[in-house]
Amino acid sequence: MLNYIARRIGIGLLMLVALSVLVFVLLRLAPGDAIDAYINPAAPLSMDELAALRARLGLDQPLPVQYFGWLRAAISGDFGFSIQRAGVPVLPLVLERIGPTVLLMGTGMLLAIVLGIAAGIVSAVRRNSATDVALSVASSIGISSPAFLTALLGLYFFSVQLRWAPSGGMLTPGAPFSVSDLLSHLILPAFLLSIGHAALIMRYMRSSLLEVLNQDYVRTARAKGVREFWVIIKHATRNALLPVVTLIGSTIGIAVGGAIFLESVFNWPGMGLLLVNAVNTRDYPVIMCATLIVGACVIAVNLLTDITYAAVDPRIQVA
């Protein structure tokens, strides 16, 4: 197990390097000049001043030299300073946004897992019933709805029309901090984030559980007189969870994309909103740092998912 974890960590580090190269090159290939982000349009610079600024920032060097210079500094924890927030180090700026994003994504994924597994069990147990049909239709709608559409419709109906939840932010401006205030701002974006993932988990759980319910050991448990509730929960559900665990781990990256839309729509002060603002203002140091941290989190979650396989099904041996 330790060798497996070490090998996966090594592969993850190589993936992070590849991600950094890709993002670095794409930013340089974006329309316009990288130096434009450092220039105040109201105070244009002369050609000599532009050349001096380019040399000071290292932008006159070949692209590989620029990348390895950035990588050397990043390994030591120096991601530079934000362009739009003069004098503000990038790393603390990004790290302070991780908490709100983890809170939003964690709550959303927790809701998705609970709702998806529960709905999948009910749908499989009541196969071909009206409940099964209703849940299948709801899951199809949830899977087909893109994150930005779900966010906008949810904001319009639940905040603007029904006024059940605040329309944005993480806390009420000017009000003292309280858990109830935080939850009132959190519940709507977290629920909207969970919809698509819950629908997908429900479909996988239903399909997997239907397959398990036809296995010999389930029929044997019923023949021994085990109550149907325990047959479903103890014998069938645990063995049906393996593909669901795989799905949950693989959808974390998709959840990051959904969180970016939701944070933008609900003005949630997380990494998604920071990344969108950085892209709009061409704040390259912030983009690079935020992208790497998000990538590292996704890789870590996938590693934890692989390790969870053995806990869910002891027959699985990591190699």
Side-chain angles (χ1 to χ4, degrees), residues 260-306:
I260 290 176
F261 284 113
L262 282 164
E263 288 184 6
S264 301
V265 171
F266 285 91
N267 197 32
W268 186 267
M271 288 188 63
L273 183 60
L274 177 67
L275 191 55
V276 170
N277 292 335
V279 171
N280 289 333
T281 58
R282 305 186 68 171
D283 199 338
Y284 296 136
V286 173
I287 296 173
M288 290 295 299
C289 183
T291 302
L292 282 186
I293 290 179
V294 170
C297 293
V298 172
I299 291 172
V301 169
N302 288 331
L303 174 60
L304 291 175
T305 301
D306 290 341

